Amino acid sequence: MTSHHSGTPAATRSRLNLRKLTCCGFSAALSCGSAWAQSTNTTGTTPSNVSGSTTSTTEHIVVTGHKPEGAVIGAPKPLMHISADEIKSYGVDTVTDLLSTISPETRSGRGATGNAPVVLLNGKRISGLQEVNDLPFEAIARVEIFTEEEALRYGYAADQRVVNIITVKHFRSVRARVYGETSTDGGGENGALSLSFTRLQDERRINLSARYTASSWLRDSQRNVAPPAANSLYATQGNLSTSDGTSLDPALDALSGQTVTTAGSPSLPFGQAATLDDILPYANNPNTSTNASAYTLQPRKHELNLNGVYADRITENISSSLNVSFDHQDQISLQGLPHGVLTLPGGSFYSPFTQAVQLFRSFGNIGPLQQTAHTETGHAGLNFNGDLGDWKWNAKGSYDYTQTVTNSQTGLSLTTAQAALNSNDLSFAPWTTVSPAWLGTRLVNHGRTTSNQGQISGLLSGSVFTLPAGDASTSIAATGTLSQQNAVSTVNTVTSRAAISRDIGTIRINGDLPIASRKNHFLSFLEKLDANVNGAVSEVSHFGTLGTVGGGVTWAPLTWIQLPLSITEQTEAPAASSLVAPTIETPNVTTYDYVRGESVQVTTVSGGNRNLRSADRHEISLGAILSPPFLDGSRLHINYVHDNTHNPVLSLPTATAAIQDAFPDNYQRDADGVLERVDLRPVNADYEKRTEWNTTFSLSRPFGNEPDKAHHKGRPGNTTQGRYYVVLTQVWRLNDTVRLRSGLPAIDLLNGGTIGGLGGKPRHEVELQAGAYRNGIGIRLDGKWQSGTSTLGSTSAGSLYFSSLATLDFSVFVTLGDVPRWKHSEWAQNFRIMLSLDNVSNNRIHVHNGTGATPAGYQPAFMDPMGRTIGLSLRKSL
C-alpha cells in the first residue's frame, strides 16, 4: 500500500516495512484500507487467476511515511527542540535576536572557542546568515539544535553545532519596531528603528528589511573616572626636557642641588619671560594632567542595514533564493587631548636656558583627538536546493565586499608656533594658554583595508549502499573561494601597502555507517550504534595543501540516551585579514604593565603579520545526550573536549614578563623603563592545550496537561495554555595552557597566567535562562556567573586579582492582542511592549593588586562602562 502526497519530493520519503499482521489486526487493516490495497501492485502478492478456484492471498502492506517538514539530513534526534510558543515566550524580534538568545545552547566546545553555529532553513543550506537574520519570530514554526556531527552532513567542519529553523507555510506581515536604551548611571544611550516586510507562501519567501541603530558617546567623565596619566611628558601646563635626556642647564642644577633632566613648565602671564627661579619649583617634578571628558568608554556609532531576500521554487524539485544586503557604519571614539612638541631655542626671549630644550604640551582648549572608522559591507548570495532521485543537492554562490577606512589623530603639527619661536616673535607666548590659531593641523594616521571575496559551493548527499544495520550515506561538498585583501596605511607620513590574493579549494567527504540496529535486527544487543568518518583536503595559496581527518561513533544503548565520540586532526591557515590588515597606531590607550606594576597610556599598533604560519589542531570530544522519559520536555547534554593546537594565532596586548621574554620586540620602553608602545599584531605561539567539559540542561513544558499544539497549527503560537522553560548551561575548564615559544615555560591561563588584557580565563562559567508566557504576558530571566581570575606579575604589588561576576537580566513584555481583555481589539493585535532591565544589581568585576589598591584604568566603570541599563521596545506587526 502506497500513500501519495503531491508536491512532496521522493527523496523526502522513508519506507517502513511492517511485520506480518496478526489476524485481528490484519482484518482491521483490510476493512479500513481495502481501496488502497486494491491499488497496490508492487508490494503485495498478486492473486492467481485460476478458473474455478479460490485463492488465499497474503499481502505485505508497506506504509510510506514522510519526514517532518524541514527535517535535516539523516533525521537525527536534536539536542534541543524549541517550539513556536517557546520562541514567543523569549520576547525576541527576529532570527538575529533568537540566535543571540539561544547562544549558550549553540556554543560548541570544539575547535576555536566561540564558533557560531551552522544555520539551516527548513533543513537546507542557505547562502549566508543575511538570508534569515531579519525573519520575524512569528514566521518560525520551530527550531532544532543538533550536534556538530550534523554539520558534517552539510559539508561543514565538525566544530560548529547546527541550528535548523523551520518556517510556517503561510505568513504575511509588515513589522515596525522602535527600541531605546540608557544606563541608570547616566549616558550611553542607544536606539534602533527597524521596518520589514515578510511574506511566506509555500516555497515562496520575500523578506525586505531596513534597520538604523545609533549609540552616543559615553565619556570617562560621565562615570567619574579618569584614565591614568600619560607616561610621556605631555601635560596641559607643559614639561621641559632635552632631546637626549641630559641636564636642562648647569645653572638650574646648581640652584636645585641636583641634576635636573626634566621640569614642569611654569604658568606665566602673556608676554612674560621665564626665569630659572620660575622653573626651580618644578625641577625633576614634571606636571601631570588628564582630562576625563577627552576619552570615551563607548564610541559614538551610527549604522544602517538594508537586506532583501527572494526565494521560490523553480521546478518541482528545485528551489532557489537570492539575497542582497548592504551595511554602512560610522564610529568615532575620543583618544585624549591633542598635544605637540615645541623646541625653545637657547637664549631666546622666553627661554632661561643656554641650550635648546623641548616643551611638551597638551591643549585642552580645542577638541580631543579622534579615531574614526567607516565601514561599508555588501553581500550578494544565490542559493539552489534540489533532489536528484533519492539524493539531495545544493549549489550556492556568494560575493562579499568590505571596506574599512580608519583615521587616527595622533597629535598636532605646530610648525607655525615653532616658526614664531625660531624668529623670536613675541606674539607667541609658550608659558600661557595658547590660542587655537597657533595650533595648526592635526597629525593623522590613515588606514584602509578592502576585501573582495567570491565563493561557490556544492553539496551532494544520499545513501550509497545498504548494510545489515541500515543504509550507509555520504555527503560530498566542494568549495572554491577567491579572495583579495588590500591594505594601505600611512603612519607618520610614511605610506605602506600590502595585498594578498588567496585561492582556496576544498573537498570534504563525510560517511555515516550504521553498525548495529535493534530495529533492523543486527547486533541488537547494542541497540543502535553508528559510525562516522570524514576527511577534507584544502589547497590554500601561499600555504599549500592542508588536510583534515576525523571520525567517531554514536552509541544509543537506550532510546533516550546517546553517547557520541569524535576525533579530529586538522590543519588550518590563518585568516587573510590577519596577514595583511593595515597598520594602525592608536595613541593614549590604557594598559597595565605587569612588569612594573602600573597602569600607563601607550600607543598601540594593530594590523597584519605576513609571517604567520598555519596551525595544527588535534581534538577529541566525548559526550552524553539524555532525554529522560520520566521528565517530559527535558534534555541533558554533557560534552568533554580536549584540544591541542600547535602554532595557534594569538594577539598579545598585555605586558607580562613571560610575554616580553617571548616577544621582546612587541614592547618598547623609554629610558626610564616606562612602557610606551605595544605591538598588537598577531603572532604564532608554540602551542595551546585546552580541556573542558560543558553541560546544558533544558526543560520546556506547557502549563497544565494540555499537549503542545504549536506543531499542528498553520500559524505558530496558537496555544492557550502558555509555556514555561528553564535552560541551564555551564562550562568547566580543566586545563588551559599556552607556551609562547619553544624552550619557555607554559603559561597557565587558569592559575595566574594571561595573554589578554583582562586577566586569565575563568575556570567556571554558568548561565541560567528561565521564562514563562501566558495570556499575553511574558517574563524572562537571564543570569550569568563566572569565577574570579588572577594574573601574577613580577611582584605581589604588580599582580592583579579579578573578582567573580554575577549578573541578572530581567525582561517583561505584553503582547496586547493575546491579553483576554483586548483579544478582539484590532489595534492590539500583534502589538508588543517590552521593558528590559539588564544587570539588575549593577554588578561589575572588581580588580585589585597585591596591596589591595585598584590600578588606574581598572575601576569598575572601565570593566563595564554601561552597567545597569533599562530599555523600552515597541513592536507592531500588520
Side-chain angles (χ1 to χ4, degrees):
M1 178 179 66
T2 304
S3 175
H4 299 278
H5 290 253
S6 62
T8 304
T12 64
R13 304 167 188 166
S14 61
R15 297 185 177 275
L16 177 63
N17 294 314
L18 301 179
R19 295 182 179 181
K20 186 182 296 183
L21 299 176
T22 61
C23 293
C24 180
F26 179 58
S27 300
L30 287 179
S31 63
C32 294
S34 59
W36 285 346
Q38 292 171 6
S39 65
T40 303
N41 56 12
T42 59
T43 60
T45 303
T46 304
S48 302
N49 294 324
V50 178
S51 178
S53 66
T54 301
T55 305
S56 177
T57 304
T58 301
E59 281 196 7
H60 296 280
I61 300 176
V62 177
V63 177
T64 301
H66 299 274
K67 294 181 182 179
E69 289 286 344
V72 298
I73 298 174
K77 289 185 178 180
L79 280 174
M80 182 176 292
H81 178 283
I82 306 174
S83 62
D85 57 339
E86 184 174 344
I87 295 172
K88 192 171 188 177
S89 69
Y90 291 165
V92 296
D93 180 28
T94 62
V95 167
T96 298
D97 301 330
L98 176 62
L99 292 176
S100 177
T101 298
I102 64 175
S103 59
E105 299 95 278
T106 62
R107 175 192 179 274
S108 174
R110 304 186 194 178
T113 57
N115 282 349
V118 172
V119 177
L120 309 175
L121 185 65
N122 296 317
K124 300 175 182 178
R125 295 210 300 180
I126 55 178
S127 61
L129 271 178
Q130 297 92 331
E131 190 172 327
V132 297
N133 272 346
D134 296 314
L135 277 175
F137 80 89
E138 297 97 333
I140 303 173
R142 66 184 186 277
V143 171
E144 299 166 333
I145 302 173
F146 296 91
T147 65
E148 293 80 352
E149 280 70 28
E150 187 63 21
L152 292 168
R153 296 187 175 101
Y154 283 89
Y156 300 98
D159 57 4
Q160 299 170 274
R161 289 187 182 169
V162 175
V163 175
N164 184 29
I165 298 171
I166 297 94
T167 60
V168 297
K169 300 296 290 182
H170 305 288
F171 177 81
R172 185 183 185 278
S173 77
V174 176
R175 175 183 57 88
R177 179 176 182 259
V178 179
Y179 176 75
E181 178 189 63
T182 188
S183 62
T184 58
D185 291 341
E189 293 78 14
N190 299 291
L193 171 65
S194 59
L195 300 170
S196 75
F197 168 77
T198 305
R199 183 179 181 183
L200 306 180
Q201 184 68 32
D202 294 323
E203 295 290 336
R204 179 172 296 177
R205 173 166 44 96
I206 301 173
N207 194 60
L208 305 174
S209 63
R211 182 174 66 255
Y212 173 75
T213 58
S215 58
S216 62
W217 274 322
L218 179 61
R219 301 177 187 245
D220 291 17
S221 56
Q222 292 175 277
R223 289 292 180 266
N224 297 318
V225 295
N231 59 314
S232 62
L233 293 173
Y234 292 113
T236 52
Q237 191 170 323
N239 288 300
L240 299 164
S241 178
T242 61
S243 58
D244 57 2
T246 57
S247 171
L248 289 172
D249 193 287
L252 181 61
D253 295 345
L255 286 174
S256 65
Q258 59 181 322
T259 300
V260 181
T261 58
T262 60
S265 60
S267 178
L268 301 175
F270 181 85
Q272 180 177 328
T275 66
L276 291 180
D277 288 334
D278 295 325
I279 305 296
L280 183 60
Y282 304 97
N284 288 332
N285 185 27
N287 295 310
T288 60
S289 65
T290 185
N291 187 335
S293 64
Y295 295 85
T296 49
L297 296 166
Q298 172 182 283
R300 186 175 69 187
K301 185 185 298 183
H302 299 269
E303 185 171 5
L304 174 66
N305 306 92
L306 302 174
N307 193 23
V309 179
Y310 179 79
D312 204 350
R313 181 170 290 279
I314 299 177
T315 69
E316 182 180 353
N317 293 324
I318 301 176
S319 60
S320 177
S321 64
L322 173 66
N323 173 221
V324 178
S325 65
F326 173 78
D327 180 272
H328 177 84
Q329 178 179 294
D330 291 321
Q331 178 175 302
I332 304 176
S333 58
L334 304 182
Q335 299 294 145
L337 294 177
H339 54 258
V341 182
L342 293 168
T343 300
L344 300 176
S348 66
F349 173 79
Y350 284 110
S351 175
F353 305 110
T354 57
Q355 63 175 335
V357 298
Q358 292 180 317
L359 172 62
F360 295 78
R361 286 203 61 175
S362 299
F363 304 96
N365 56 338
I366 59 175
L369 298 174
Q370 295 185 357
Q371 185 177 77
T372 63
H374 308 278
T375 302
E376 290 188 349
T377 302
H379 169 81
L382 185 61
N383 190 49
F384 296 91
N385 285 285
D387 300 327
L388 189 63
D390 290 335
W391 287 64
K392 290 182 177 295
W393 62 268
N394 168 266
K396 64 178 183 176
S398 63
Y399 169 73
D400 291 276
Y401 168 82
T402 302
Q403 183 180 76
T404 300
V405 178
T406 304
N407 296 309
S408 182
Q409 298 175 354
T410 59
L412 296 172
S413 174
L414 302 178
T415 54
T416 304
Q418 186 63 57
L421 288 173
N422 292 341
S423 61
N424 224 9
D425 183 350
L426 302 185
S427 62
F428 175 75
W431 311 120
T432 188
T433 301
V434 177
S435 169
W438 292 103
L439 299 182
T441 60
R442 302 192 178 209
L443 303 175
V444 182
N445 289 340
H446 304 276
R448 184 180 74 249
T449 178
T450 304
S451 171
N452 291 274
Q453 177 174 294
Q455 185 179 85
I456 57 173
S457 177
L459 172 70
L460 185 64
S461 61
S463 298
V464 287
F465 52 83
T466 300
L467 294 173
D471 291 339
S473 61
T474 186
S475 297
I476 304 173
T479 303
T481 304
L482 303 177
S483 61
Q484 175 74 41
Q485 296 271 349
N486 294 283
V488 179
S489 60
T490 302
V491 179
N492 298 328
T493 71
V494 177
T495 299
S496 59
R497 302 177 185 273
I500 185 172
S501 296
R502 171 171 287 186
D503 306 333
I504 304 176
T506 302
I507 295 179
R508 187 178 300 277
I509 301 177
N510 174 70
D512 294 303
L513 306 172
I515 305 300
S517 172
R518 174 175 290 275
K519 176 182 175 181
N520 291 315
H521 311 290
F522 185 76
L523 301 179
S524 299
F525 66 94
L526 292 175
E527 289 290 340
K528 183 174 175 58
L529 179 65
D530 297 319
N532 168 273
V533 291
N534 62 88
V537 177
S538 297
E539 187 67 27
V540 182
S541 56
H542 309 292
F543 282 90
T545 302
L546 307 179
T548 299
V549 176
V553 294
T554 299
W555 180 34
L558 297 173
T559 57
W560 54 278
I561 298 177
Q562 297 180 66
L563 303 174
L565 168 67
S566 173
I567 300 175
T568 302
E569 302 276 340
Q570 181 178 11
T571 303
E572 51 192 3
S577 58
S578 298
L579 299 170
V580 298
T583 301
I584 302 295
E585 289 194 0
T586 304
N588 303 328
V589 177
T590 299
T591 189
Y592 189 76
D593 182 3
Y594 287 93
V595 175
R596 291 171 57 95
E598 60 184 3
S599 291
V600 292
Q601 284 187 343
V602 300
T603 296
T604 62
V605 181
S606 60
N609 180 358
R610 294 297 295 263
N611 298 319
L612 293 177
R613 303 184 301 277
S614 58
D616 295 318
R617 185 183 303 278
H618 313 275
E619 183 179 87
I620 181 170
S621 173
L622 177 64
I625 306 168
L626 311 177
S627 304
F630 51 82
L631 189 58
D632 185 41
S634 68
R635 180 147 298 188
L636 176 66
H637 181 211
I638 304 172
N639 195 44
Y640 168 89
V641 176
H642 176 73
D643 182 283
N644 187 4
T645 304
H646 293 276
N647 301 324
V649 176
L650 304 174
S651 179
L652 307 171
T654 301
T656 67
I659 294 176
Q660 287 191 125
D661 287 344
F663 301 97
D665 295 337
N666 288 45
Y667 302 89
Q668 296 180 15
R669 300 178 179 272
D670 63 15
D672 296 323
V674 178
L675 189 66
E676 59 181 7
R677 187 180 177 90
V678 177
D679 192 338
L680 304 179
R681 287 174 288 191
V683 297
N684 284 109
D686 184 39
Y687 72 75
E688 179 176 9
K689 294 181 179 179
R690 178 177 61 90
T691 304
E692 69 176 45
W693 68 277
N694 52 76
T695 305
T696 300
F697 171 78
S698 64
L699 174 66
S700 176
R701 301 182 67 175
F703 287 111
N705 298 318
E706 186 174 339
D708 184 6
K709 300 178 182 178
H711 309 308
H712 307 291
K713 297 288 185 179
R715 188 182 181 90
N718 289 327
T719 59
T720 58
Q721 293 286 50
R723 176 169 289 272
Y724 64 92
Y725 65 90
V726 176
V727 179
L728 178 65
T729 62
Q730 72 87 40
V731 178
W732 192 290
R733 297 179 177 91
L734 305 177
N735 174 57
D736 201 333
T737 57
V738 176
R739 188 170 70 186
L740 298 178
R741 285 192 172 176
S742 179
L744 296 178
I747 299 173
D748 189 344
L749 302 181
L750 303 180
N751 291 289
T754 185
I755 55 173
L758 298 177
K761 291 187 179 180
R763 183 178 292 275
H764 197 194
E765 295 180 64
V766 178
E767 183 163 353
L768 173 65
Q769 298 174 339
Y773 183 83
R774 191 172 190 179
N775 292 331
I777 300 176
I779 60 171
R780 176 178 172 82
L781 299 174
D782 191 339
K784 299 178 182 179
W785 177 86
Q786 67 179 43
S787 60
T789 65
S790 63
T791 301
L792 304 181
S794 300
T795 64
S796 174
S799 301
L800 291 185
Y801 302 90
F802 298 78
S803 70
S804 60
L805 177 66
T807 61
L808 177 66
D809 301 340
F810 173 77
S811 299
V812 59
F813 57 95
V814 180
T815 305
L816 300 181
D818 290 348
V819 177
R821 179 177 179 181
W822 297 307
K823 185 169 293 185
H824 303 293
S825 300
E826 185 64 29
W827 64 270
Q829 300 306 306
N830 302 311
F831 186 13
R832 187 177 70 192
I833 302 174
M834 172 180 282
L835 182 67
S836 59
L837 189 63
D838 292 346
N839 195 357
V840 174
S841 57
N842 207 18
N843 282 345
R844 295 173 169 95
I845 292 177
H846 291 267
V847 184
H848 63 87
N849 60 18
T851 66
T854 298
Y858 283 90
Q859 291 93 339
F862 283 101
M863 305 304 294
D864 178 6
M866 293 292 286
R868 184 195 296 116
T869 60
I870 184 169
L872 178 65
S873 170
L874 304 177
R875 185 183 190 275
K876 174 67 175 177
S877 296
L878 300 174

